[in-house]
Amino acid sequence: MTAQHPLDAQAPSDARTPSSGRTPSSGQAPSARTGRDRRTPRGLHSRRLLAHAGTYLVLLVAALLTLAPFLVSVMTAFTSPQQYAQQGPMTVPDPPVLDNFVRLFTDPDGFVTPVVVTVQMVAVILAGQMVFSVLAAYAFSHLRFPGRDALFWVYVATLMVPQVVVVVPLYLMMSEIGLRNTFWALVLPFVLGSPYAIFLLRENFRSVPTELMDAMRIDGAGTGRLLWNLVVPLNRPIIVTLVLITVVTHWNNFMWPMVITSGPTWRVITVATSALQSQYNNNWTLVMAGTTLAMLPLVILMIVFQKQITRSVGETTLR
């Protein structure tokens, strides 16, 4: 029988010593972690609340800065000239009056002719741009002809050219053919399509499933039927958005109508609103009534068609 070494006899007790020494520390760690876990959600929740509050505060300030000019314009439009002279532009109309709007449509140089001319101009440009832009976008997306892509990108590159660069050449062209100060001078430079509209429609037309187009071709459908019965209905939201963009752009167009027309015969609403500032220099209530009237149709359009705009933007992003 072999004798047991004294160190071997002490080994079990020594092995238990570290274990017993680690037990208190391991017992304290969960309590410390539990305390941190209890504090972290509260701190994280507070930080999130502060972040949300800061975000909403910034959005509120931005909304106030954006909407304040429009609010002041509407308030001043319904304010009588006497109250405006006595209390200033930042007061609530007491009582609201419609005299400024009535005067706009009863004066000899009022807004009747500018509104009619503007509506006619926008309608003609809208019809021309939608028809020619849809046809061009379909040709660039589904028809094959020599130089198709090069012609498309050259045409789209005109978006990089500022409008002020082409105003003088356009003015000389219209003057040479005798169209200055006419209705056709207002619409001809814009009626044959828009590079932005053609670019946007082409990208959406290319996403139409080729299987559907092949199936319609097998059934005997030609190019016109494919375009108007398949491609256009599938892209109706983006077309509605382009309609709104076109209306807003040309309703607000100021520089070209001011350059190419003179006198009240073919004056559009933006030029008429600008003329009010010089014609009625001290009557700011009348000027603000004209400004409010000029932006009212656009606000109504955006409210009515906001769902279509949101839907078209979402579909374009997914594509």
Side-chain angles (χ1 to χ4, degrees):
M1 179 179 295
T2 59
Q4 187 177 6
H5 195 277
L7 293 177
D8 293 337
Q10 295 177 0
S13 61
D14 293 342
R16 287 192 301 269
T17 300
S19 175
S20 61
R22 284 194 303 268
T23 301
S25 61
S26 62
Q28 291 175 1
S31 62
R33 287 195 299 269
T34 303
R36 287 195 299 270
D37 292 341
R38 290 176 180 174
R39 290 193 300 270
T40 300
R42 294 180 181 177
L44 181 60
H45 184 65
S46 301
R47 288 195 296 271
R48 287 179 178 176
L49 286 179
L50 290 176
H52 289 312
T55 302
Y56 283 113
L57 180 61
V58 172
L59 292 176
L60 179 61
V61 172
L64 290 176
L65 291 176
T66 304
L67 297 177
F70 301 100
L71 181 61
V72 172
S73 175
V74 174
M75 291 172 53
T76 307
F78 288 96
T79 303
S80 63
Q82 294 79 12
Q83 181 184 353
Y84 182 84
Q86 294 174 0
Q87 302 179 8
M90 303 302 294
T91 57
V92 179
D94 186 25
V97 296
L98 297 175
D99 297 343
N100 300 309
F101 296 96
V102 173
R103 187 175 176 183
L104 283 176
F105 289 98
T106 55
D107 285 354
D109 295 332
F111 265 37
V112 177
T113 300
V115 169
V116 173
V117 172
T118 304
V119 171
Q120 293 176 347
M121 178 189 72
V122 172
V124 172
I125 293 176
L126 176 63
Q129 282 205 8
M130 289 300 102
V131 172
F132 289 108
S133 296
V134 167
L135 292 175
Y138 182 81
F140 284 128
S141 59
H142 292 291
L143 300 183
R144 297 185 180 276
F145 53 90
R148 182 190 66 175
D149 294 337
L151 180 62
F152 170 74
W153 289 113
V154 168
Y155 186 63
V156 171
T158 58
L159 287 171
M160 305 300 293
V161 180
Q163 186 181 4
V164 294
V165 175
V166 299
V167 165
V168 174
L170 279 176
Y171 177 82
L172 295 176
M173 291 170 57
M174 295 300 166
S175 299
E176 288 295 326
I177 61 179
L179 293 180
R180 189 179 70 84
N181 200 26
T182 63
F183 177 77
W184 293 110
L186 292 171
V187 301
L188 278 180
F190 311 102
V191 77
L192 297 178
S194 166
Y196 174 76
I198 292 174
F199 172 76
L200 194 60
L201 288 173
R202 173 183 178 266
E203 298 305 313
N204 283 268
F205 287 178
R206 293 177 66 183
S207 63
V208 176
T210 56
E211 294 81 3
L212 295 177
M213 301 186 70
D214 294 337
M216 290 192 66
R217 288 193 182 98
I218 293 174
D219 291 338
T223 301
R225 186 178 170 189
L226 281 173
L227 177 60
W228 301 113
N229 293 344
L230 177 65
V231 178
V232 170
L234 289 178
N235 292 274
R236 187 176 290 112
I238 195 64
I239 293 176
V240 172
T241 303
L242 284 175
V243 168
L244 295 177
I245 292 174
T246 304
V247 171
V248 171
T249 300
H250 293 283
W251 184 277
N252 292 329
N253 195 3
F254 172 73
M255 183 172 58
W256 176 245
M258 182 185 64
V259 169
I260 201 62
T261 60
S262 59
T265 304
W266 298 110
R267 180 179 291 174
V268 298
I269 195 168
T270 52
V271 178
T273 304
S274 177
L276 288 176
Q277 300 180 14
S278 58
Q279 187 176 358
Y280 302 97
N281 192 19
N282 295 323
N283 194 349
W284 286 106
T285 57
L286 191 63
V287 174
M288 292 298 102
T291 304
T292 302
L293 185 65
M295 68 180 179
L296 181 61
L298 304 182
V299 174
I300 295 175
L301 279 177
M302 296 302 295
I303 293 175
V304 173
F305 294 102
Q306 59 179 343
K307 291 184 179 180
Q308 285 81 357
I309 296 174
T310 306
R311 179 184 172 188
S312 66
V313 172
E315 290 184 357
T316 303
T317 303
L318 291 176
R319 290 178 182 180

